[in-house]
Amino acid sequence: MMEKEEFTQLYSQWFALHPFKKRDWPELGKVHFEAFGKENAQTMREALGQLTEEIDNFPSPKQIRSKLNFLSNSKTEVGSVVRDTAQNEEIACRLFEHLMGIQYNGVEVKRPDGVQDWHERIVDDVINSGLADHHLTGAYSTIGLKVIRAQG
C-alpha cells in the first residue's frame, strides 16, 4: 500500500493541467486513495500517464480503473497463473459480481479472464454462506481475506 504523500505525488501532472483540482484534493483525494491506494505505484503512474494523453478532463475513478484493468490484462496472458494479491482479489470480486448478476449502469459484470479453481472455491464459499444475500460489503471483505489466506 502506498503512503498518501507518494500517492498524491502520482497526480502531480494532473494538478499541473488542472490547478483547481489541487484545491479539491483534500476531499477528492480521499476517494481516489480509497479506490487506488493499494495499487502498485508504477502501474498507477503508467495509467495516469497514459490518461494524460487520452483525456482532457481530470480522470474519474472509473477511467482510472478501466486503464488499470487494461494495463493488467495486457501484461498477463489469459489463463496464466496470477500471483499478485490485488489482481487475484479483483478476479475473485468480479467473478462474485458476475455470479450474483450484479450490474453497473445496467450492464451485467462479465466473467473475468484468468479465473482459477481456487477463485471459484472462494466465491462459491462466500455465496453459499448466505452473507452475500444480506451484507454485500461483508461478502467483499470475506473474499479479500480468503484471497490473502490462499496466497499466504
Side-chain angles (χ1 to χ4, degrees):
M1 182 173 205
M2 287 182 270
E3 296 294 324
K4 285 189 178 186
E5 289 178 16
E6 178 186 14
F7 182 79
T8 299
Q9 186 61 34
L10 296 173
Y11 285 80
S12 62
Q13 61 193 349
W14 286 101
F15 295 141
L17 294 169
H18 303 279
F20 60 94
K21 289 295 184 180
K22 182 74 172 169
R23 180 196 63 209
D24 300 335
W25 190 249
E27 289 302 318
L28 187 62
K30 288 178 188 175
V31 173
H32 281 253
F33 187 75
E34 186 175 313
F36 308 110
K38 293 181 181 178
E39 295 293 336
N40 176 286
Q42 183 58 38
T43 306
M44 273 295 291
R45 189 173 292 108
E46 186 175 351
L48 290 170
Q50 287 185 17
L51 285 170
T52 59
E53 298 173 9
E54 296 174 11
I55 61 174
D56 294 325
N57 56 316
F58 196 85
S60 69
K62 182 178 179 180
Q63 290 169 314
I64 295 169
R65 175 61 59 206
S66 177
K67 180 56 70 176
L68 288 169
N69 288 342
F70 172 79
L71 290 171
S72 174
N73 289 338
S74 67
K75 291 181 179 178
T76 59
E77 294 179 275
V78 174
S80 66
V81 176
V82 177
R83 299 196 192 290
D84 182 81
T85 302
Q87 288 177 331
N88 278 314
E89 186 176 356
E90 179 80 16
I91 289 169
C93 287
R94 294 304 80 81
L95 178 62
F96 169 75
E97 292 170 345
H98 170 74
L99 294 174
M100 293 296 293
I102 293 175
Q103 297 182 354
Y104 289 104
N105 297 325
V107 179
E108 285 198 11
V109 176
K110 294 180 183 174
R111 181 180 173 88
D113 292 330
V115 174
Q116 299 170 37
D117 289 339
W118 67 275
H119 291 126
E120 297 219 20
R121 284 193 300 276
I122 286 173
V123 172
D124 288 345
D125 286 348
V126 171
I127 291 172
N128 292 334
S129 74
L131 185 61
D133 295 332
H134 54 73
H135 198 283
L136 218 53
T137 304
Y140 284 112
S141 297
T142 302
I143 289 169
L145 181 62
K146 286 177 178 270
V147 166
I148 291 169
R149 287 182 176 160
Q151 290 195 285

